[in-house]
C-alpha cells in the first residue's frame, strides 16, 4: 500500500501544478482579480474560440481527475491505517 500512496501523492502534485497553470491560462472575464492586474479589457463574456472551449474542457477533465486522486488517496490512507 505504501507504493500506491506514493504514486497517488506524486500524481496529485503533478495534477495540482497542471490545474493551476491551466486556470491561469484562462482569460479574465472582468470584475474580479484580473481587473486589479490590468486585465480589464474584455470583449465578450462567452468562450470566443475553439482554443478557449478546449481549454475549458481540459481544465474540467483535469479538475475531475484531481478530485478522484484526492478521494483515492484518502481511501488508501484510511484503509492502510486500519490494518
Amino acid at each position: 500500500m505504501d507504493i500506491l500512496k506514493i504514486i497517488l501523492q506524486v500524481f496529485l502534485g503533478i495534477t495540482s501544478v497542471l490545474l493551476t497553470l491551466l486556470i491561469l491560462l484562462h482569460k479574465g472575464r472582468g470584475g474580479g482579480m484580473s481587473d486589479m492586474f490590468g486585465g480589464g479589457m474584455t470583449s465578450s463574456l462567452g468562450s470566443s474560440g475553439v482554443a478557449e472551449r478546449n481549454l475549458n474542457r481540459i481544465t474540467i477533465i483535469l479538475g475531475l481527475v484531481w478530485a478522484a486522486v484526492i478521494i483515492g488517496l484518502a481511501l488508501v490512507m484510511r484503509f492502510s491505517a486500519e490494518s
Side-chain angles (χ1 to χ4, degrees):
M1 281 296 220
D2 287 335
I3 190 74
L4 182 60
K5 188 176 3 176
I6 292 171
I7 290 171
L8 285 174
Q9 287 174 344
V10 168
F11 199 58
L12 180 63
I14 292 169
T15 55
S16 297
V17 170
L18 287 175
L19 191 59
T20 303
L21 292 174
L22 285 175
I23 289 171
L24 289 174
L25 282 175
H26 283 84
K27 65 178 170 178
R29 300 246 183 342
M33 292 291 286
S34 63
D35 283 343
M36 289 177 57
F37 300 110
M41 305 286 282
T42 59
S43 60
S44 67
L45 293 177
S47 296
S48 59
V50 175
E52 185 74 20
R53 283 192 299 258
N54 287 337
L55 184 62
N56 288 340
R57 289 181 190 132
I58 293 170
T59 305
I60 290 170
I61 290 170
L62 192 62
L64 293 173
V65 169
W66 180 79
V69 169
I70 289 177
I71 292 170
L73 187 59
L75 289 173
V76 167
M77 291 177 74
R78 178 178 172 95
F79 290 121
S80 68
E82 290 179 0
S83 16

